[in-house]
Structures are given as structure tokens and as C-alpha cells.
Amino acid sequence: MFIYYRALLESRETEVISSEELSQLTGFSAAQIRKDLTYFGQFGTPGRGYTIKDLTHQLKGILGIDREWEVALVGMGNMGRALVAYEGLKNQGFNVTQLFDSDPKKIGMFCAGLKIKNIDNLKEEIRNSAARIAILAVPAGAAQSVTNLLLEAGIKAILNFAPTRIIVPDGVNVLNIDITNELTRLSYYLVQPDALKIADDNPAAGTESPEPIA
Amino acid sequence: MFIYYRALLESRETEVISSEELSQLTGFSAAQIRKDLTYFGQFGTPGRGYTIKDLTHQLKGILGIDREWEVALVGMGNMGRALVAYEGLKNQGFNVTQLFDSDPKKIGMFCAGLKIKNIDNLKEEIRNSAARIAILAVPAGAAQSVTNLLLEAGIKAILNFAPTRIIVPDGVNVLNIDITNELTRLSYYLVQPDALKIADDNPAAGTESPEPIA
DNA sequence: TAGATTGTTAATCGATTAACAATC
DNA sequence: TAGATTGTTAATCGATTAACAATC
């Protein structure tokens, strides 16, 4: 869905697009695309295709990016600071509104116009906000305990930059961004050129025999 | 493979581990694990299991992390600086040895003990090094042109932080880390709780009917 | 030897694609 | 109307799992 959405954004020259054209742009088969889309509704016109404007609008709704999301950011180390400074988030409707750290030297400081708050107050601060998404940019050792705080605060989605798995209950979503892991994956592809070339989100990539990607 | 490797690191209490135990730790089925492993060789002992020390060693070789990799980093913005400062990379054998930027104000400055070089010299500098992996941390607008330079320099694997797709020839591997994209995915899971809950690398996650993840 | 667990084949299951009636 | 392309079903294909002989 993300990929269809992105493809649509890049192809706003025509008014209408067919599943076949979307296939060319995304690498997914036309049948796959039609099937995926009809899971959410009937957005196309037989004999014509999909109106780009309409479908973009629909996809926004489906992806939940037809609104603004408040985001809390925990951990103001190098990564945390890089993230607050990143304009791209706000542009896409992800609005970092709260910063937390445990370091007394950092608490009270301002970063990108936001005051860094004491992590001890995380629960009530987040409870009093609309944030349901959090970015976790703390050291691995602190990841689980901070996660527990976030869960208590009612956070339902976590983007985890800590290089460790965190445990959350059902109904809470975690996505991990682990740079070392990604580099290891690249290393793997370099030394095992025969292993499936990167699935990532490029479906055009290798298929064939069941070579392990895990 | 990454996941098996990580699981092994976390389970060094016993000397031997069975595919069944690995299954518990990773969420993959025992049969799947045995199959994946035998793709690379016969590492187990019937009736006993896998010797953790041996298998760890084997996996290191398979993943290509039984060596040091030199890594070039292009783009010394917020993200680039956060990445050089990150100790985790070196600890895992990924050694950032070269920094590049195009900003005259940054060129010549030192960052984490490394001199920032002029991107105009990227090709020869990298050619004269052992780097085959590059991290791309430049703005979206510059991503493709810098990629082209990297390709000319002989880079074979790119970790791309720019929020845009880059085009590379066959045989070159790209992994994208797109934060906005990940947040969009979280947003999607929040508004579509019925859609497949995160595959990421947690195979325990939902299965059932073919709901679109794309 | 009896018990356990691998490596691997055969059976199952699910996802992808081909194809086409419906329809603009 | 003829041409095009959707939505959807049926057929294909591939991946996952169950099961077991081999073996420690």
C-alpha cells in the first residue's frame, strides 16, 4: 500500500492509471495490485483504470495519513537529536511534540523549539497529549524499561531505534530500525550473491528456489 | 539468518541447541530452521542438535561478519553525524573510514576523528580504499547523483537514508531506511488493526487471509 | 540399546497469477 | 459499438510444514 501510494505520487502526469501501469511502476503484478486494492473497496472503473486523484485520496485514508499524528520522542542522544531536526517528519504529518530524556544535563534544554522533559514525567505528559506513536532512541540497555513506561502511557505504536528487541503486548505495534542489522544484511548479500537479492520492498527482486532470507 | 544468529547470541547458556529451541526463540518453525541451515551445509548432529559455538561461527561466515568491513559515509548532516558517532557500528565490524560532504564549510572539519573530504574526490578516495559498502545520508535531491558517483567508485552495497528510491545496476545492493515510511506503516497498523500485523522480522505475527501488506 | 533430533522427502497449505465475465 | 480494464474466480505455483528414515 505504501508502495502504491508512493508510485501514485510520482505519476501525477496523467489523470488515470491502470493496474498495468502501476505494475510497471511498482514491480507488483497487475493482478496483485487489483486484488490488494479491492480488499479495501472498489476504486477503479472497468475499461478506464483508477483516477489518480481519487486513489491517492483513498490510500491516504487507508494508510491513516489523512491526518496529523502526534509523536513522542524518547532519548536525546545523537540519533534523537538528528530525528527532531529532520523536517521530513512534519511534512508527512508526523508531528514530534514531546521530547524526553533521563539526563539531568539535557532536561530543560530546548531542541528544535521543544523543551526536553524528564522521563520520570513521561507517563502523565503523554497521557495528557494526543500522542499514540513514540520513537524510541535510547541505548539498548534502557529500551525495555522505557518501553514499559510508554505502554503505561497508552502508546500503541513504537518506532524502535535501539539495537534490541522490545517486548510489547498484543495490539501494540513495533517497527525496528537497526542499522547494524541492515549493514549485516548488506554484508550477507555481498558474500552470498546467490541468496535472494533483497526483498525490502522491491518485489522485482529474485524469486526462484527457497533460499533463506531470514 | 540474521535472526538465527541473534538468537544464538542470546542463548549461550547451554552448549547445544535444537531446532525446536531455536524455533521458540525466533518464532520460525523448527522445520524451516533446519531447512534454511542445511541450505548452507550440515551443521547439526542428529539426536543432539547444533553446537552453539560452532553454529555461531558458521553463521558469522555465512553472513560475512567474520571480517571487518570498511564503510564510506556520504552526507554529514544531522543523520550523518549521528551515524559516525554511533559506536555500535564499529563493534559489529563495520568500520566507517571515510566521510564526504559537498559543503565547503564542512569539508576539512573533523568528525569522530575523521576528516570530512570533498565529495568531488569521492571516486578516487574510495577507489584507493577497501570500502565496498557506503552509507548514503544526503538529501533526497542529491541521492541519485551521489549514488552514481558511488557506483563509479566501485561501491557494491548502499544503505540509503535518503527518502527516495535510488536506481542501481544489477549486482549492487541497496537497503532503504526511510523513517517517514516506517511511521506511515505504523499509522497504517493503527488505523487498520485487521491488516496483517507487522511482518518485519517477527514471523510469529498474523497469518490467515491475504490481507495486503504492500 | 533407547531416546532424541537431524536432514530431507512428500503432503499440505496459502499466495500469486491467469483468465474472463462484467462494465465503462 | 469496439476496445479497454476492472473485480473476482479458478488454476497454478511455490513455500511451509508434517513426517520419518538416518544417525548420533
Side-chain angles (χ1 to χ4, degrees):
Chain A
M1 289 290 149
F2 316 103
I3 298 158
Y4 304 155
Y5 178 69
R6 188 168 44 214
L8 283 181
L9 293 182
E10 287 166 4
S11 65
R12 282 189 157 281
E13 282 145 42
T14 55
E15 198 185 325
V16 163
I17 196 167
S18 68
S19 57
E20 189 51 54
E21 289 167 307
L22 263 174
S23 168
Q24 303 258 302
L25 289 170
T26 61
F28 290 94
S29 75
Q32 184 73 265
I33 291 170
R34 292 201 298 277
K35 203 161 203 213
D36 280 356
L37 291 177
T38 48
Y39 175 80
F40 292 102
Q42 307 202 157
F43 307 131
T45 311
R48 193 150 181 277
Y50 301 89
T51 307
I52 293 183
K53 191 152 167 286
D54 283 3
L55 187 55
T56 306
H57 180 75
Q58 292 287 351
L59 283 179
K60 275 193 152 185
I62 290 166
L63 294 171
I65 51 176
D66 55 349
R67 69 202 75 184
E68 290 242 323
W69 289 99
E70 278 195 32
V71 177
L73 171 52
V74 193
M76 296 305 296
N78 291 304
M79 188 54 73
R81 288 197 303 274
L83 291 170
V84 223
Y86 179 44
E87 293 294 320
L89 298 188
K90 192 163 208 164
N91 295 343
Q92 291 290 322
F94 296 101
N95 213 339
V96 176
T97 55
Q98 308 205 57
L99 307 178
F100 297 94
D101 204 292
S102 61
D103 181 348
K105 276 182 250 140
K106 288 176 185 161
I107 294 167
M109 275 177 55
F110 279 81
C111 203
L114 292 167
K115 195 177 196 174
I116 300 174
K117 294 173 188 169
N118 191 329
I119 203 171
D120 290 344
N121 305 325
L122 185 149
K123 186 173 159 187
E124 52 175 301
E125 292 278 4
I126 290 186
R127 281 251 165 129
N128 291 331
S129 78
R132 288 210 296 157
I133 301 177
I135 299 178
L136 192 59
V138 303
Q144 188 61 55
S145 63
V146 174
T147 298
N148 296 345
L149 290 177
L150 290 170
L151 295 171
E152 280 188 65
I155 287 292
K156 294 291 177 214
I158 299 175
L159 186 57
N160 175 31
F161 281 85
T164 183
R165 299 283 121 174
I166 55 178
I167 296 163
V168 297
D170 272 9
V172 176
N173 300 289
V174 176
L175 285 177
N176 299 291
I177 294 187
D178 185 335
I179 292 147
T180 306
N181 212 54
E182 299 302 309
L183 286 171
T184 302
R185 202 182 283 240
L186 286 175
S187 155
Y188 176 59
Y189 295 129
L190 285 176
V191 296
Q192 308 285 350
D194 291 338
L196 271 199
K197 280 284 176 302
I198 289 155
D200 198 12
D201 26 18
N202 168 21
T207 330
E208 296 175 24
S209 42
E211 292 157 61
I213 343 173
Chain B
M1 290 292 152
F2 318 101
I3 298 160
Y4 305 156
Y5 178 69
R6 187 166 45 213
L8 284 180
L9 293 183
E10 286 166 5
S11 66
R12 281 190 159 278
E13 283 145 41
T14 55
E15 199 184 324
V16 162
I17 196 167
S18 67
S19 57
E20 188 52 53
E21 290 168 305
L22 263 175
S23 168
Q24 303 259 302
L25 289 169
T26 60
F28 289 95
S29 76
Q32 183 74 263
I33 291 169
R34 293 201 298 277
K35 203 158 203 216
D36 279 357
L37 291 177
T38 47
Y39 175 79
F40 292 103
Q42 306 200 157
F43 307 132
T45 312
R48 193 148 180 278
Y50 301 89
T51 307
I52 292 182
K53 193 154 164 288
D54 284 3
L55 187 55
T56 306
H57 180 75
Q58 293 287 353
L59 283 178
K60 274 192 154 184
I62 290 166
L63 294 172
I65 52 175
D66 55 349
R67 71 203 72 183
E68 290 242 323
W69 290 99
E70 278 195 33
V71 177
L73 172 52
V74 193
M76 296 304 295
N78 292 304
M79 187 55 73
R81 288 197 304 272
L83 291 171
V84 225
Y86 179 42
E87 293 293 320
L89 298 187
K90 191 163 210 164
N91 294 342
Q92 292 288 321
F94 296 101
N95 213 340
V96 176
T97 55
Q98 309 205 57
L99 307 179
F100 296 95
D101 205 291
S102 61
D103 181 349
K105 277 182 248 138
K106 287 176 186 163
I107 294 167
M109 276 178 54
F110 279 81
C111 204
L114 292 168
K115 196 176 195 171
I116 300 175
K117 294 173 188 167
N118 191 329
I119 204 169
D120 290 343
N121 305 324
L122 185 148
K123 187 173 159 187
E124 52 173 304
E125 292 279 3
I126 290 187
R127 281 250 165 130
N128 291 330
S129 78
R132 289 209 296 155
I133 301 178
I135 299 178
L136 191 60
V138 304
Q144 187 62 55
S145 63
V146 174
T147 297
N148 296 344
L149 291 176
L150 290 170
L151 295 172
E152 279 188 66
I155 287 291
K156 293 293 177 211
I158 299 175
L159 186 57
N160 175 30
F161 281 85
T164 183
R165 300 282 120 174
I166 54 179
I167 295 161
V168 298
D170 271 9
V172 176
N173 299 290
V174 176
L175 286 177
N176 299 291
I177 294 188
D178 184 335
I179 292 147
T180 306
N181 212 55
E182 299 303 309
L183 285 171
T184 302
R185 202 183 284 240
L186 286 175
S187 155
Y188 176 59
Y189 294 129
L190 285 176
V191 297
Q192 307 286 350
D194 291 338
L196 270 199
K197 279 287 176 301
I198 288 156
D200 202 11
D201 27 18
N202 167 22
T207 329
E208 298 175 23
S209 40
E211 292 158 62
I213 342 174

